[in-house]
Amino acid sequence: MQFLDQPPRFLFFTGKGGVGKTSIACATAIQLAENGKHVLLVSTDPASNVGQVFGISIGNHITAVPAVPNLAALEIDPQAAAQVYRDRIVGPVRGILPDDVVRGIEEQLSGACTTEIAAFDEFTALLIDSPVTDDYDHIIFDTAPTGHTIRLLQLPGAWSGFLEEGKGDASCLGPLSGLEKQREQYKAAVDALADGKRTRLILVARAQQSTLREVARTHEELAGIGLKQQYLVINGILPKIEAETDRLAAAIYQREQSSLNAIPEVLKQLPRDLVALKAFDLVGLDALRQLLIDSPYQVHEVSDLLVEVSKQSLSQLVDGIAKEGHGLVMTMGKGGVGKTTIAAAVAVELASRGLPVHLTTSDPAAHLSGTLSGSLDNLTVSRIDPHEETERYRQNVLDSKGAQLDAHGRALLEEDLRSPCTEEIAVFQAFSRIIREAGKKFVVMDTAPTGHTLLLLDATGAYHREVARQMDKAHLHYTTPMMQLQDPKQTKILIVTLAEKTPVLEAANLQEDLRRAGIEPWAWVINNSIAATKTTSALLHQRALNELVEINTVAKQLAKRYALVPMLQDEPVGVERLHELASG
C-alpha cells in the first residue's frame, strides 16, 4: 500500500461516511504496531465505533488494546470533553461567586458551541509535543465523515485568527474564556497540519461517481488550508471474477469500473491504492489483518434461496407516513448507509401521491440534486448550507442589533460574529425555520451522519431548556423544535442502516441517544440488502448470509417496524428509479 510507504507521525483518514475509514485506520494501526511501532489510534467522530471494531470499551481516555502490543486507542467523546471543559472553567469560581452567577455561567456553557470547542481542544493537544503523546511513533486519526472533518481541520486556523483579531470582548465569553490560554497550542496545531513531513491525509472512497466527486472537493478544500500531502484509497472494489456468472455482480462491477475510468482530474495526480471487497465483516483482529492484503476468500455453495426475508417495502412505510397529510420525516444513521437515497425516495413517493413535499438536508456534504437528477410536481428541494446560513445570520444580526450601536459597539459585534460558534447558531436557526413548515406540508429531511446530527440535537435541546426557563416563569404557552421532534404525530424518525454488524450497532446506539432525548424512532430501513436479492455470486452470497443475523436482530430486538430495501442493479438516481425503489 503506497499510503503506508514511509508514513509520517500523523496519519488522517477521512472521506464520505460508510466508505470504510474506520476499518482501514484500524488495519493500519494494527500493521504499524505489529511492525514494532508505538501507535495511538484516535477517533474524532462523535459517533465513534473504534471500540466496537476491537470488541473493547475505549471511551474518552487512552486505552491499551490488549490483543495488540504497542497499540492504544482514544475516542474523543464531545460530551465528556465538554464536561471536563466546563469543570475547568467553573471549578475555580464555585464557592466564590454567588450560586445564581455560577448557574448562569454553567447555562452559558451548556450549548453545542462549548461541546465543539472542548472536543477540538482535545484534538489539538494531540498534535503538539507533550508528555501525553511523546511515547508514540505514530498517531492515527479516524475522523468523522467529510463535512464534519473539514470543519475540524479548519478550526485551528479559524480560532487562531479569531483570537489574533479579537479583543476578548465577544458575547460568547463562556466557551471562549478557556481559549486565550490555548493560542500557542492552536498555532502549533496549524503548523503540524501543514507540514508534509509530519502529516499525511488519506482520502478514503468507494468506486462510485458521487463519492469520488465528493473526495475531489475534499481534496481541494483541505489542500487550500495547507494539508497537501494526500493519498487516495479506493475501498471495497468487487473482484472481476464475481461478475462472470451473476447479473447483480456484473452490474456492480461495471458501475465501479466506469467510476474509476471517469475519476475526477484532480484525483489522478494522487498516489492511489485499491482495496478489494471482502466476503467477511470487518470486525475483529483477524478480519482487520486481512483487509490490506490480497487474500483468498472461502467459497460456500450457493443455495437457490437464502431465506425468507421480510417483504415489507418502503412504500408500506410511506402509507403510514401519508395518513397525517403533513409532518416532518427525518432519515438518520451512520454515514454511507443511504440516508439521502431513502429520504429522496420517500419524498418522491409522497409527492407522486399528490402531497406537497419539501425535501431538504442538514448534511454539509450532501447533494440531493444529484440523487434526484430531475424535478417532480409537488416537490421542492433545498439544502441547509452552513456558509450561506452563517452569512445570512451575521447580516440579520448586524441589520437589527447592530443598527442601534455606535461605531465601537458595531465593531465589537462584528468581532463577535466572526467566532466559529456563529455557524452552530445559524445552522440551528435554519433547521428550526424549515421544520416549522411541517405544520402545513411534508418536510423530509436527510440529516448529517450520526455524530453531526446529535450535535444539532444538542443545540436543539439547549434552546428548548432556555425557552422553557423563560416561558415557564411567565406562564406562557410555547412550542420548541425539540417538542416538535418528541411528538410522534408531528415527526417520524426513520433510522437507516445496512445489514452489517457495525452499522446496526451504531444505529442501535443512535436509537438509545434519541430515546434519552425523549424522541422515539418510528421505523428502521435496512437499505441495500444483498439478502433480499437472488445473487449467485459466491462472494455476494457469503455477504448475504452474514446479513441474515443482522436483519433478524433488527426485526426481533430493535425496530417497532421496518422495511427491507434490496441492492439494485442500477443506482437509484433520478425520479423514476427513486419511485421504483419506494414502491418495489
Side-chain angles (χ1 to χ4, degrees), residues 20-31:
K21 296 184 304 296
T22 297
S23 298
I24 292 177
C26 291
T28 298
I30 291 169
Q31 185 167 322

PDB file of all heavy atoms in Angstrom, residues 20-31:
ATOM      1  N   GLY A  20     -15.452   3.074   4.756  1.00  0.00           N
ATOM      2  CA  GLY A  20     -14.502   2.175   5.401  1.00  0.00           C
ATOM      3  C   GLY A  20     -13.331   2.862   6.066  1.00  0.00           C
ATOM      4  O   GLY A  20     -12.283   2.240   6.279  1.00  0.00           O
ATOM      5  N   LYS A  21     -13.496   4.142   6.441  1.00  0.00           N
ATOM      6  CA  LYS A  21     -12.397   4.872   7.092  1.00  0.00           C
ATOM      7  C   LYS A  21     -11.942   4.177   8.370  1.00  0.00           C
ATOM      8  O   LYS A  21     -10.747   3.983   8.584  1.00  0.00           O
ATOM      9  CB  LYS A  21     -12.835   6.295   7.436  1.00  0.00           C
ATOM     10  CG  LYS A  21     -13.167   7.179   6.269  1.00  0.00           C
ATOM     11  CD  LYS A  21     -13.488   8.591   6.712  1.00  0.00           C
ATOM     12  CE  LYS A  21     -14.614   8.641   7.731  1.00  0.00           C
ATOM     13  NZ  LYS A  21     -15.900   8.174   7.191  1.00  0.00           N
ATOM     14  N   THR A  22     -12.899   3.812   9.206  1.00  0.00           N
ATOM     15  CA  THR A  22     -12.554   3.214  10.491  1.00  0.00           C
ATOM     16  C   THR A  22     -11.830   1.890  10.299  1.00  0.00           C
ATOM     17  O   THR A  22     -10.815   1.624  10.955  1.00  0.00           O
ATOM     18  CB  THR A  22     -13.814   3.018  11.346  1.00  0.00           C
ATOM     19  OG1 THR A  22     -14.392   4.288  11.641  1.00  0.00           O
ATOM     20  CG2 THR A  22     -13.484   2.303  12.647  1.00  0.00           C
ATOM     21  N   SER A  23     -12.319   1.048   9.400  1.00  0.00           N
ATOM     22  CA  SER A  23     -11.687  -0.258   9.176  1.00  0.00           C
ATOM     23  C   SER A  23     -10.260  -0.090   8.675  1.00  0.00           C
ATOM     24  O   SER A  23      -9.335  -0.768   9.149  1.00  0.00           O
ATOM     25  CB  SER A  23     -12.509  -1.061   8.158  1.00  0.00           C
ATOM     26  OG  SER A  23     -13.801  -1.313   8.648  1.00  0.00           O
ATOM     27  N   ILE A  24     -10.041   0.816   7.715  1.00  0.00           N
ATOM     28  CA  ILE A  24      -8.709   1.000   7.162  1.00  0.00           C
ATOM     29  C   ILE A  24      -7.785   1.654   8.192  1.00  0.00           C
ATOM     30  O   ILE A  24      -6.609   1.297   8.301  1.00  0.00           O
ATOM     31  CB  ILE A  24      -8.782   1.810   5.851  1.00  0.00           C
ATOM     32  CG1 ILE A  24      -9.477   0.971   4.778  1.00  0.00           C
ATOM     33  CG2 ILE A  24      -7.402   2.227   5.379  1.00  0.00           C
ATOM     34  CD1 ILE A  24      -9.680   1.673   3.461  1.00  0.00           C
ATOM     35  N   ALA A  25      -8.307   2.600   8.965  1.00  0.00           N
ATOM     36  CA  ALA A  25      -7.495   3.221  10.023  1.00  0.00           C
ATOM     37  C   ALA A  25      -7.089   2.171  11.056  1.00  0.00           C
ATOM     38  O   ALA A  25      -5.923   2.137  11.487  1.00  0.00           O
ATOM     39  CB  ALA A  25      -8.267   4.354  10.686  1.00  0.00           C
ATOM     40  N   CYS A  26      -8.021   1.314  11.466  1.00  0.00           N
ATOM     41  CA  CYS A  26      -7.713   0.268  12.450  1.00  0.00           C
ATOM     42  C   CYS A  26      -6.714  -0.736  11.883  1.00  0.00           C
ATOM     43  O   CYS A  26      -5.776  -1.161  12.578  1.00  0.00           O
ATOM     44  CB  CYS A  26      -8.992  -0.451  12.883  1.00  0.00           C
ATOM     45  SG  CYS A  26     -10.124   0.552  13.876  1.00  0.00           S
ATOM     46  N   ALA A  27      -6.908  -1.138  10.621  1.00  0.00           N
ATOM     47  CA  ALA A  27      -5.982  -2.086   9.994  1.00  0.00           C
ATOM     48  C   ALA A  27      -4.583  -1.490   9.895  1.00  0.00           C
ATOM     49  O   ALA A  27      -3.577  -2.188  10.108  1.00  0.00           O
ATOM     50  CB  ALA A  27      -6.501  -2.466   8.603  1.00  0.00           C
ATOM     51  N   THR A  28      -4.498  -0.197   9.585  1.00  0.00           N
ATOM     52  CA  THR A  28      -3.206   0.489   9.520  1.00  0.00           C
ATOM     53  C   THR A  28      -2.535   0.515  10.891  1.00  0.00           C
ATOM     54  O   THR A  28      -1.333   0.246  11.021  1.00  0.00           O
ATOM     55  CB  THR A  28      -3.398   1.927   9.012  1.00  0.00           C
ATOM     56  OG1 THR A  28      -3.948   1.888   7.690  1.00  0.00           O
ATOM     57  CG2 THR A  28      -2.091   2.692   8.988  1.00  0.00           C
ATOM     58  N   ALA A  29      -3.314   0.833  11.919  1.00  0.00           N
ATOM     59  CA  ALA A  29      -2.772   0.888  13.281  1.00  0.00           C
ATOM     60  C   ALA A  29      -2.227  -0.477  13.696  1.00  0.00           C
ATOM     61  O   ALA A  29      -1.143  -0.568  14.293  1.00  0.00           O
ATOM     62  CB  ALA A  29      -3.861   1.351  14.244  1.00  0.00           C
ATOM     63  N   ILE A  30      -2.957  -1.538  13.380  1.00  0.00           N
ATOM     64  CA  ILE A  30      -2.507  -2.893  13.734  1.00  0.00           C
ATOM     65  C   ILE A  30      -1.211  -3.226  13.008  1.00  0.00           C
ATOM     66  O   ILE A  30      -0.253  -3.744  13.611  1.00  0.00           O
ATOM     67  CB  ILE A  30      -3.604  -3.918  13.379  1.00  0.00           C
ATOM     68  CG1 ILE A  30      -4.815  -3.745  14.303  1.00  0.00           C
ATOM     69  CG2 ILE A  30      -3.062  -5.350  13.487  1.00  0.00           C
ATOM     70  CD1 ILE A  30      -6.031  -4.532  13.866  1.00  0.00           C
ATOM     71  N   GLN A  31      -1.154  -2.929  11.710  1.00  0.00           N
ATOM     72  CA  GLN A  31       0.031  -3.258  10.927  1.00  0.00           C
ATOM     73  C   GLN A  31       1.267  -2.529  11.438  1.00  0.00           C
ATOM     74  O   GLN A  31       2.341  -3.125  11.598  1.00  0.00           O
ATOM     75  CB  GLN A  31      -0.195  -2.916   9.457  1.00  0.00           C
ATOM     76  CG  GLN A  31       0.948  -3.343   8.537  1.00  0.00           C
ATOM     77  CD  GLN A  31       0.571  -3.284   7.077  1.00  0.00           C
ATOM     78  OE1 GLN A  31      -0.556  -3.613   6.708  1.00  0.00           O
ATOM     79  NE2 GLN A  31       1.495  -2.865   6.234  1.00  0.00           N
TER      80      GLN A  31
END
